[in-house]
Amino acid sequence: MSSTERPGVRSAPEAAQSVPPAGDPPVHDGETVRSVALSGLTLNVRSRPPGSAGLPPAVYVHGLGGSSLNWSALMLELAGDVDSEAVDLPGFGLSPPPDDGDYSVSGHARAVVRYLDACGRAPVHLLGNSLGGAVATRVAARRPDLVRTLTLVSPALPELPPQRTAVPTALLAVPGVAGLFGRLTKGWSAERRTREVLALCYGDPGRVSPGGFAAAVAEFERRLRLPYFWDSLARSARGIVDAYTLGGQHSLWRQAERVLAPTLLVYGGRDQLVSFRMARRAAAVFRDNRMLALPEAGHVAMMEYPEIVACAFRELLVDTAQLTGHAEVGIAPSPRLLSPKGD
């Protein structure tokens, strides 16, 4: 494939009590969740024990309206390759809102940096989707010492004008719109809301199993009970829109140019939120990149095709180990799936 296609820790029960009315923390088999208290914020961290000792650390950052649950399938696929942790950004998942109310891309990036500085595991393999992709890009540009490799799945990098199907989501950034939408859809069931989200984010919503759909519905019901649900969503959407308008050294594309970490770019051909055409621009901007293009995928390729994304990520690990001359524990060379930029 060508490149142009191309430290305080509290227990989980205590964390649940701090996020009323959170309900039981959703945990997949083999996962654990914990609450990490940092300066000015508390982050929920979802972990999957590695398949063996000494595996390199990886940290995952979800997108707008998502949570660390979005990475469960990929973390399971990579259990033999990396030691995985996925964070809930402030105001999402099981993480309460930040003390300073800052939901900008930079605010979320500072939250990730604070965690990486405190956890003692950096540099890490950093993975981000959508909003999390923009956050991860900013972290990698500003703190290259924290990032070993960067993997971006449909990153929310400036696209002006946005594609038409992304406009309704962007409108959440307009003051009052999120609250209005919440009132207008008050009668919607969690099942209907979940179907709407899946139709927007998946290339083929039919790939979601009945069990997976039921779990998504239960999680949506839990989030709707949170008093800050719509506010966190609206302010984070506003943060993305604001980031799209920034110029100069604060521009996300300018910061993408400064990323030193080897980068895997993943784009879906059926993505309704980040245009597939942005893959070409990303390939031209990130200096050391590989591209994985999935024509049938939507906005969350790591959830739709976790086995393919995992295989491409392993390829990134092998390439990085070859460049540095240091082998990653547990990583074995495999047939090439993609080519570095310029091949």
Side-chain angles (χ1 to χ4, degrees):
M1 185 179 298
S2 71
S3 62
T4 54
E5 292 175 348
R6 24 185 231 156
V9 178
R10 298 198 301 252
S11 66
E14 292 172 338
Q17 293 172 11
S18 70
V19 191
D24 295 331
V27 182
H28 289 209
D29 288 344
E31 292 181 348
T32 60
V33 296
R34 72 185 192 278
S35 184
V36 179
L38 302 167
S39 176
L41 72 154
T42 299
L43 294 182
N44 177 73
V45 180
R46 182 178 304 275
S47 304
R48 175 167 289 279
S52 60
L55 293 182
V59 171
Y60 308 74
V61 188
H62 64 80
L64 181 68
S67 75
S68 57
L69 281 167
N70 293 16
W71 297 101
S72 290
L74 186 61
M75 289 199 298
L76 179 59
E77 289 285 337
L78 294 175
D81 306 289
V82 290
D83 185 351
S84 293
E85 292 186 341
V87 299
D88 286 330
L89 290 173
F92 294 95
L94 293 173
S95 294
D99 290 354
D100 60 7
D102 187 353
Y103 290 98
S104 67
V105 171
S106 292
H108 284 312
R110 281 193 293 272
V112 173
V113 167
R114 286 175 188 170
Y115 176 69
L116 294 178
D117 276 335
C119 72
R121 303 172 76 231
V124 303
H125 297 288
L126 186 61
L127 300 88
N129 167 237
S130 191
L131 164 63
V135 169
T137 297
R138 187 147 285 176
V139 172
R142 293 183 172 178
R143 290 292 304 275
D145 58 305
L146 298 177
V147 181
R148 188 176 303 191
T149 68
L150 181 65
T151 296
L152 305 176
V153 182
S154 297
L157 300 177
E159 178 183 348
L160 297 173
Q163 60 178 335
R164 185 176 58 184
T165 49
V167 171
T169 302
L171 288 176
L172 290 174
V174 178
V177 169
L180 175 62
F181 181 77
R183 292 190 294 272
L184 292 175
T185 61
K186 186 177 181 180
W188 286 18
S189 66
E191 288 83 357
R192 178 177 178 181
R193 294 178 188 275
T194 301
R195 288 193 185 95
E196 294 288 339
V197 170
L198 294 179
L200 179 65
C201 293
Y202 274 67
D204 177 11
R207 294 183 62 86
V208 181
S209 68
F213 180 78
V217 170
E219 173 63 3
F220 216 134
E221 289 177 331
R222 184 193 68 80
R223 293 188 200 181
L224 285 171
R225 294 195 297 269
L226 298 174
Y228 52 79
F229 173 80
W230 290 110
D231 185 60
S232 297
L233 190 65
R235 292 193 182 194
S236 292
R238 198 170 306 143
I240 296 175
V241 172
D242 288 346
Y244 274 33
T245 63
L246 288 176
Q249 64 178 348
H250 300 295
S251 162
L252 280 169
W253 284 116
R254 182 69 63 84
Q255 294 194 332
E257 294 175 346
R258 303 210 314 259
V259 171
L260 300 177
T263 302
L264 171 63
L265 302 167
V266 183
Y267 283 86
R270 294 184 175 180
D271 195 332
Q272 300 181 63
L273 295 171
V274 172
S275 175
F276 189 63
R277 70 175 186 269
M278 300 308 294
R280 184 178 295 274
R281 181 172 183 181
V285 171
F286 286 91
R287 62 178 71 188
D288 179 7
N289 75 76
R290 299 118 180 97
M291 179 69 66
L292 175 63
L294 296 172
E296 302 302 314
H299 192 59
V300 287
M302 75 286 185
M303 300 174 73
E304 286 190 89
Y305 299 97
E307 67 288 345
I308 299 177
V309 175
C311 201
F313 177 78
R314 292 188 194 102
E315 194 67 39
L316 174 66
L317 298 188
V318 171
D319 286 348
T320 303
Q322 291 172 344
L323 287 173
T324 61
H326 298 287
E328 296 276 23
V329 176
I331 303 299
S334 60
R336 296 193 62 82
L337 292 178
L338 39 85
S339 299
K341 183 180 179 182
D343 282 9

